[in-house]
Amino acid sequence: MRASNLALVLGEVLAHSGSVSRADIASRLGMTRSTVSRLVDDLILGELVVEGEAVGGARGRPAVPLMVRPGTVYALGLEVNVERMVASLVDLTGEVRAKRHLNTDVEQLTVEEGMAHLSRMAQEILDEMPDGARISGAMLAIPGLIDREGLRVLRSPNLEWDNLEPGEFWHVEFGGAPVPLKVRNDVDCSALTVLREAPGSSFLYVTGEVGIGAAVSMDGQLLSGRHGWASELGHICVDPHGRMCGCGARGCLETVAGAHAVLSLAGQPDIDGVLHALENEDPTALAAVETVAAALGIAIGAALNLLDLSIVRLGGHLASLRSWLRAPLQRELATRVLWAPHSGIELEFVEHSPSRAATGAGLAALGRVTSGPATWVDPLLKR
């Protein structure tokens, strides 16, 4: 019971860091103030929570705000994608405290070579950790299907990392012990950073890299599906007679709206070139955006009809195209979503960050702490 209550109290501090007091938590959780106070004291001694300066109220004793303690417990958030590798160190506040970024053609590397690069990047970060720091583990964000246990990459068409366990090629230690590695879909990891900015919300998150990835949040919980493979929007068919996709099917959304497809349609070498062409009203680039909007409308419209979500958040290169993409996509959704005339569809654009998936992976790896803080608190209480 105490372990469960510790997790509940820490969850309240995480959700309202800096603006929640012991009395607030007691009221929200229906616990007595004395029980919450004891639990908070344990979290403070366990170096997960810290008290702020007392804030005076209209009457009664001043409230003391509680905050997540920075710089004590960390996780490694990692990403391997087609054109980059990222290793980041994320603490319990969600802030990135250290990072290594390598731009490289991962498709030209073997799995052993790629994981050796990533291991070195991660080890460099850990070798610079402050005294007394603790590591909850490491999470690797991969574009593809991951098994339910978070150990095996079942299929990653863009990387060609299929049916393998990255942990077999992972060699990182901290404090003389190996750092455990788990694997998760990269877009699910990215979505965790979006959720941190809008906790408890429901939305469809669609982001563009080489391919198109998606995640669904229902009341703040990511929809994973029975096997953990939900939300593969990039492989919804938008043109049965279209181009062959890396997954082996024809006419998937990412063959029209993925980064390589957008560049090909616009006749430009990179996204900056596409944006420049659009700013100059180049007809080829403008036509490309219309084609992308139509394909997105088919796939996103189908998802909204199925899931009854009214907020769509777009990231990656799709967010870069916001000024030209918003209006045609809004028109497509207004036509394709059955309930659109009765309830508005909100299109929001998430700022592009090449480190978003790695940061989200770090947040996921911190789940061992947030779901079971007693394991991290109790050893310090015994000192």
Side-chain angles (χ1 to χ4, degrees):
M1 179 66 74
R2 172 181 170 274
S4 176
N5 286 341
L6 270 176
L8 289 172
V9 171
L10 179 59
E12 288 295 318
V13 179
L14 284 166
H16 309 284
S17 185
S19 62
V20 67
S21 67
R22 298 174 194 234
D24 295 330
I25 294 174
S27 175
R28 288 172 178 164
L29 297 180
M31 297 180 184
T32 65
R33 292 195 182 190
S34 60
T35 297
V36 169
S37 188
R38 287 195 298 272
L39 294 169
V40 168
D41 285 343
D42 285 353
L43 290 170
I44 291 172
L45 291 171
E47 299 182 350
L48 302 184
V49 170
V50 66
E51 292 181 312
E53 295 294 327
V55 179
R59 62 182 187 178
R61 289 162 50 179
V64 178
L66 301 170
M67 296 169 285
V68 178
R69 181 166 173 172
T72 58
V73 178
Y74 300 86
L76 283 168
L78 314 163
E79 182 193 12
V80 172
N81 217 308
V82 174
E83 299 170 340
R84 65 174 177 269
M85 293 183 177
V86 183
S88 63
L89 188 70
V90 182
D91 75 2
L92 204 55
T93 69
E95 293 296 317
V96 176
R97 302 299 178 180
K99 184 172 68 174
R100 298 289 189 277
H101 188 117
L102 175 65
N103 290 322
T104 186
D105 187 351
V106 177
E107 291 178 287
Q108 299 303 311
L109 302 176
T110 66
V111 177
E112 293 89 342
E113 291 169 339
M115 290 303 298
H117 281 304
L118 197 64
S119 296
R120 283 194 293 271
M121 293 162 66
Q123 193 66 64
E124 286 176 7
I125 290 176
L126 294 185
D127 288 345
E128 299 171 1
M129 291 275 283
D131 292 339
R134 294 176 284 172
I135 286 287
S136 69
M139 183 71 73
L140 171 58
I142 289 278
L145 296 181
I146 313 299
D147 73 349
R148 181 62 99 169
E149 290 72 33
L151 298 174
R152 180 172 288 273
V153 179
L154 301 176
R155 192 173 187 198
S156 181
N158 292 328
L159 286 180
E160 298 185 4
W161 287 21
D162 295 343
N163 198 30
L164 58 90
E165 294 188 16
E168 294 180 353
F169 312 101
W170 167 255
H171 305 290
V172 174
E173 293 186 351
F174 181 72
V179 177
L181 177 73
K182 288 223 166 181
V183 191
R184 190 163 179 175
N185 176 266
D186 62 333
V187 181
D188 283 349
C189 291
S190 294
L192 290 176
T193 69
V194 180
L195 263 176
R196 196 172 183 88
E197 298 161 7
S201 59
S202 298
F203 56 84
L204 172 65
Y205 173 57
V206 184
T207 186
E209 292 277 354
V210 172
I212 295 290
V216 174
S217 170
M218 291 287 192
D219 300 322
Q221 298 296 317
L222 292 185
L223 180 66
S224 61
R226 182 179 178 185
H227 302 95
W229 307 333
S231 307
E232 286 291 339
L233 193 80
H235 297 287
I236 286 181
C237 180
V238 296
D239 181 2
H241 306 292
R243 291 172 50 204
M244 189 67 74
C245 179
C247 74
R250 188 175 293 280
C252 294
L253 174 63
E254 70 176 46
T255 67
V256 182
H260 291 167
V262 172
L263 301 183
S264 177
L265 286 168
Q268 298 295 329
D270 52 38
I271 291 298
D272 286 340
V274 175
L275 295 176
H276 181 74
L278 289 169
E279 288 166 356
N280 288 282
E281 300 184 352
D282 176 74
T284 301
L286 292 171
V289 172
E290 292 288 338
T291 300
V292 170
L296 286 170
I298 293 172
I300 293 175
L304 298 188
N305 279 324
L306 183 66
L307 298 169
D308 187 21
L309 292 168
S310 58
I311 298 175
V312 179
R313 295 191 163 109
L314 300 172
H317 67 263
L318 301 178
S320 301
L321 300 172
R322 60 168 66 89
S323 298
W324 298 273
L325 187 59
R326 183 190 295 274
L329 179 53
Q330 198 84 59
R331 287 195 303 271
E332 287 285 338
L333 295 177
T335 300
R336 295 185 177 279
V337 178
L338 181 65
W339 45 261
H342 310 288
S343 178
I345 298 170
E346 298 179 41
L347 289 182
E348 300 178 1
F349 293 88
V350 178
E351 201 63 42
H352 177 59
S353 168
S355 302
R356 189 176 287 278
T359 301
L363 295 175
L366 285 166
R368 294 180 62 209
V369 182
T370 58
S371 64
T375 303
W376 301 84
V377 165
D378 290 348
L380 298 190
L381 298 184
K382 296 173 183 176
R383 292 190 307 189

